[in-house]
Amino acid sequence: MDVDLVVRAGRAVLPEGTRPAAVTIAGGRITAVGAVDGPVPPGVPVVDLADDEVLLPGLVDSHVHVDEPGRTEWEGFATATAAAAAGGVTTLVDMPLNAIPPTVDVDALAAKRDAARGQVAVDVAFWGGAVPLRDGVPDPDGRVDPGRMAALVEAGVRGFKCFLTDSGVPEFPPVSQPDLEVAAATCAELGVPLIVHAEDDGVLSDAPPAGPDYRSFLASRPPGAETTAVLRLAAVARRTGAHVHVLHVSAFEAAEEIAVAKESGIAITAETCPHYLALASETLAGTAGKCCPPVRSESNRELLWGALAAGRLDAVVSDHSPCPPDLKEGGFDAAWGGVSSLELALRVVWSGAAARGHTLDDVVGWMATAPARLAGLDAKGAIAVGRDADLVAFAPDEIAEVDPAALHQRHALTPYAGMALQGAVRRVWLRGTAAPAVGDGRLLPGGTR
């Protein structure tokens, strides 16, 4: 195959570590990773990274809410994927809720794909939803349908999401304990993960109600809701053999319980998010940082970093969950719970990681390799022969303040406004295409692992 491009870097983050490398690209794939001073075929374009740049694999964000169709005024495929590309994310996996219809059957997945087609600047895959259904319609009093789940996997979803408590939107009801067992057993049979919003509804029901101030909101969603949910999920994973993935861990106590489950051989993994690693309850400025589970204390934040370093947590993903600004108005009891951070995730995480002695190898493991593994995206997440040529030229030492007006997401709303963040995404290649724009991305096929 004719070579299309060679990208050379004095520092490239490879699976075996960071070293100088020349990455050869042909037909959108990486065909060689060789010495930086090796020969280049005549006439082949060469890009040499600057001395202050590091070559990273394109990031994979496995937790993104693109709200199109149905709530496109919240976020859409064109704006979300433009934000992703600007932030060094070359693949995202879309969550099954907040759009209407939710991705709970093959027709809904087709509607999602139809809405996305021709609009995406990066590659996009999809999660399905495991929700109780009655006559094919989401209903809290219905049952999870294994047949519909199997059809969705055949149609391309990468796994299934469920909630153990209210999701925030009525068309995506939570599962009961019996339905949780059915969903997990079905995922085990299908060879895909069950990814779970892990807050126990019983614990939340016993907590005091949220008021308009942050302290009362925090008290309404205590760490025990997460730890109780993790214990339930570990037991279900053990009984069914399912791979259960715990979404957006905010409480370090939950990470400790996940570690215990892992050590006992249970197939459980977990993620946290940039906002839990960067923000803190003591200094949260406003409802732009409201999310569920909530941002907790500074001491909890440091313990989360420790859990990440120790491998108790596997991945860091954005949980980009935008909404129009008017839905963030009012107190913490009324505002929509979601943080918009897709474009800023790499810079936020690198700023905190560098300050704590972590390397870009660590960040790539958390933000590219692990999410790609979770979603079964074997062509993504690493600079290696046979992988897609998704690359990022990143300047790790550059520092700039966040200007919300410069972001590509639909609404200029972020808790990081004015924050000085370290790192800059200078160039991005998607399957060898430089500066990917709307229309360059693909809708990825499914398939079990």
Side-chain angles (χ1 to χ4, degrees):
M1 183 179 293
D2 292 337
V3 174
D4 299 321
L5 177 68
V6 174
V7 179
R8 299 189 297 204
R11 291 174 291 168
V13 178
L14 309 177
E16 64 271 21
T18 297
R19 65 170 175 84
V23 179
T24 301
I25 300 166
R29 293 288 182 105
I30 297 171
T31 57
V33 181
V36 75
D37 57 354
V40 176
V44 172
V46 176
V47 173
D48 288 303
L49 267 60
D51 290 342
D52 67 337
E53 295 176 343
V54 181
L55 189 66
L56 311 180
L59 303 187
V60 178
D61 194 332
S62 57
H63 196 149
V64 178
H65 293 269
V66 183
D67 304 322
E68 186 176 7
R71 291 191 176 98
T72 310
E73 70 275 13
W74 292 23
E75 183 68 285
F77 281 103
T79 48
T81 58
V89 175
T90 52
T91 307
L92 62 84
V93 191
D94 174 61
M95 281 291 170
L97 72 156
N98 294 356
I100 301 174
T103 315
V104 298
D105 57 31
V106 171
D107 288 345
L109 176 63
K112 269 273 188 182
R113 294 177 67 90
D114 286 345
R117 191 168 288 110
Q119 288 207 78
V120 295
V122 301
D123 288 351
V124 176
F126 300 89
W127 296 114
V131 302
L133 301 168
R134 184 189 296 273
D135 297 327
V137 177
D139 186 325
D141 297 321
R143 296 302 305 270
V144 165
D145 184 347
R148 287 176 185 265
M149 292 175 66
L152 272 168
V153 169
E154 182 69 23
V157 303
R158 312 306 303 178
F160 293 90
K161 180 177 185 176
C162 67
F163 277 74
L164 304 184
T165 189
D166 178 50
S167 71
V169 291
E171 66 274 4
F172 204 93
V175 294
S176 63
Q177 183 65 28
D179 275 340
L180 176 63
E181 301 270 357
V182 170
T186 303
C187 284
E189 292 176 7
L190 296 172
V192 297
L194 180 66
I195 64 174
V196 185
H197 182 117
E199 290 181 285
D200 183 80
D201 195 54
V203 174
L204 293 178
S205 297
D206 290 338
D213 61 294
Y214 194 71
R215 178 175 293 185
S216 69
F217 172 67
L218 193 60
S220 76
R221 305 191 88 97
E226 292 187 68
T227 55
T228 301
V230 167
L231 292 171
R232 286 176 60 191
L233 293 173
V236 169
R238 184 181 64 248
R239 285 192 292 269
T240 63
H243 172 193
V244 173
H245 180 76
V246 182
L247 298 168
H248 46 48
V249 173
S250 80
F252 85 91
E253 297 96 331
E256 296 300 307
E257 295 295 350
I258 290 162
V260 171
K262 285 183 175 183
E263 289 165 3
S264 70
I266 294 172
I268 190 168
T269 55
E271 68 190 39
T272 191
C273 303
H275 36 280
Y276 301 129
L277 298 171
L279 306 177
S281 57
E282 293 91 338
T283 56
L284 197 66
T287 56
K290 179 190 172 180
C291 52
C292 299
V295 170
R296 303 190 189 276
S297 67
E298 292 178 357
S299 59
N300 177 84
R301 178 184 66 195
E302 296 311 310
L303 290 165
L304 277 182
W305 275 105
L308 192 59
R312 296 180 178 90
L313 301 173
D314 302 270
V316 182
V317 292
S318 70
D319 189 9
H320 180 69
S321 185
C323 69
D326 63 290
L327 293 184
K328 280 291 191 179
E329 294 175 356
F332 281 94
D333 54 342
W336 172 258
V339 175
S340 298
S341 61
L342 178 57
E343 186 170 341
L344 298 171
L346 173 57
R347 293 174 59 202
V348 171
V349 174
W350 173 238
S351 297
R356 292 165 177 82
H358 294 291
T359 67
L360 282 171
D361 297 72
D362 297 325
V363 172
V364 164
W366 301 330
M367 302 187 75
T369 309
R373 184 185 306 120
L374 171 68
L377 298 171
D378 297 334
K380 304 294 185 179
I383 299 174
V385 173
R387 303 283 183 120
D388 285 350
D390 298 345
L391 304 171
V392 176
F394 185 65
D397 299 324
E398 185 172 323
I399 297 175
E401 289 187 359
V402 174
D403 176 7
L407 299 176
H408 294 75
Q409 62 198 40
R410 185 170 296 281
H411 301 289
L413 183 69
T414 171
Y416 305 109
M419 188 179 293
L421 296 179
Q422 188 171 341
V425 173
R426 297 247 180 99
R427 280 177 286 186
V428 174
W429 292 265
L430 174 68
R431 288 175 279 101
T433 297
V438 168
D440 289 330
R442 292 179 180 171
L443 305 182
L444 297 179
T448 58
R449 289 165 289 178

